[in-house]
Every structure is written in structure tokens, then in C-alpha cells.
């Protein structure tokens, strides 16, 4: 199970990286087209879609690698038992918040598909297509939060960016 989850987080991180390249390609295509006096409809919209996809798809991977911003000043000032309890409580709240985020992201994507909602820009892309990355990213983030909560409940230490890069 650990290997499957880590593979999912890694694959989402890789897709996020590819989406970042998609932002670059979209922006470069728009710049080059303008220099040639051409217009490629939707390049700005697609750059935005790629940027949003990169952010959402990277959530789980960055969280599991200890790269999300954490304020550890309070945790470090407490005894190990109190620090662990506070960390578990924070993760439990995080699970609830990420569950809500995931639910509404999936609902938005489904509603966009159901009502045939399209982009208002000149590309007229069905919005459920770029919204899939948001739904997948938030669901994977929820899984990562639950995974980390279970790890902490079992007494395992939190991942830090230094541990994952060694």
C-alpha cells in the first residue's frame, strides 16, 4: 500500500511538473505568435489552466515531502507528548478541511460537466476538462492527509524536506 500511495503522489508531482512546462509552452506560443502577427486563440486561458493544474496536482507530493509551510515554533516548544497530540489534532482538522475541499472540487467538476459549462474566453473549452486536475489534486491531497494522520497515530515521525532529500 505504501508503494502505491508514494507512486500516486509521485505521478501527480510529475504531472504538475509537466503542467508547468505547459504554462511555458502556452506563453511562448502566444509571444511568438504575436511577434509574427498571428493570433492563437486560447493561449492565455490554457496557460491559466496549466498553472492551476500544476498547483493542485502538486499538493499531495509537496505535503508528503514536508515542503508545505509549517509553523513548528509552537510544536518545538512543547514536550514530545504534547507536540505529538497537537500535531495529530492539526492533521485531523486538515483532514476535515481537505475533505471539504475535495468534495466541492469534485462537485464543481461534475456540475460543470452536467450543465455543459464552457469557458467565457475565446477558446470556449468545456470547463470540466481543466477542472479535473483540481478534483484529482484535491482528492489526492485528502488521501495524503489521511495517510499522514494514520502514520502519526501509529507513532511515526513527520516527513521533513531534509529527510526526503537525503
Amino acid at each position: 500500500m505504501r508503494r502505491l500511495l508514494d507512486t500516486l503522489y509521485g505521478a501527480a508531482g510529475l504531472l504538475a511538473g509537466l503542467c508547468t512546462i505547459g504554462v511555458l509552452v502556452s506563453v511562448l506560443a502566444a509571444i511568438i505568435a504575436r511577434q509574427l502577427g498571428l493570433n492563437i486563440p486560447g493561449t492565455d486561458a490554457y496557460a491559466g489552466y496549466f498553472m492551476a493544474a500544476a498547483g493542485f496536482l502538486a499538493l499531495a507530493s509537496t505535503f508528503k515531502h514536508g515542503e508545505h509551510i509549517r509553523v513548528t515554533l509552537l510544536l518545538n516548544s512543547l514536550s514530545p507528548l504534547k507536540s505529538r497530540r497537537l500535531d495529530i489534532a492539526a492533521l485531523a482538522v486538515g483532514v476535515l478541511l481537505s475533505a471539504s475541499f475535495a468534495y466541492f472540487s469534485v462537485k464543481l467538476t461534475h456540475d460543470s460537466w452536467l450543465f455543459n459549462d464552457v469557458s467565457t474566453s475565446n477558446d470556449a473549452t468545456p470547463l470540466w476538462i481543466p477542472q479535473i486536475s483540481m478534483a484529482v489534486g484535491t482528492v489526492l491531497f485528502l488521501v495524503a492527509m489521511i495517510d499522514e494522520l494514520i502514520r502519526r497515530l501509529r507513532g511515526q515521525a513527520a516527513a521533513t524536506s531534509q529527510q526526503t532529500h537525503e
Side-chain angles (χ1 to χ4, degrees), residues 108-164:
L108 176 68
T109 304
H110 181 258
D111 288 348
S112 291
W113 174 75
L114 199 62
F115 299 119
N116 297 314
D117 199 9
V118 295
S119 169
T120 57
S121 63
N122 60 359
D123 65 309
T125 299
L127 286 177
W128 65 268
I129 295 171
Q131 289 171 350
I132 286 175
S133 63
M134 177 180 65
V136 169
T138 56
V139 168
L140 276 176
F141 183 58
L142 171 61
V143 170
M145 291 289 291
I146 293 169
D147 178 22
E148 199 60 28
L149 177 59
I150 290 169
R151 285 175 40 84
R152 265 340 150 351
L153 288 170
R154 290 181 174 170
Q156 295 171 324
T160 65
S161 60
Q162 293 169 342
Q163 288 173 335
T164 57

Side-chain angles (χ1 to χ4, degrees), residues 69-126:
I69 296 172
R70 285 178 57 117
V71 181
T72 57
L73 183 64
L74 180 60
L75 287 174
N76 291 339
S77 68
L78 298 173
S79 69
L81 179 63
K82 288 181 181 179
S83 177
R84 182 175 180 270
R85 286 181 180 166
L86 180 58
D87 200 23
I88 288 170
L91 281 168
V93 170
V95 165
L96 292 175
L97 291 173
S98 59
S100 175
F101 196 20
Y103 171 79
F104 286 108
S105 295
V106 170
K107 183 176 179 348
L108 176 68
T109 304
H110 181 258
D111 288 348
S112 291
W113 174 75
L114 199 62
F115 299 119
N116 297 314
D117 199 9
V118 295
S119 169
T120 57
S121 63
N122 60 359
D123 65 309
T125 299

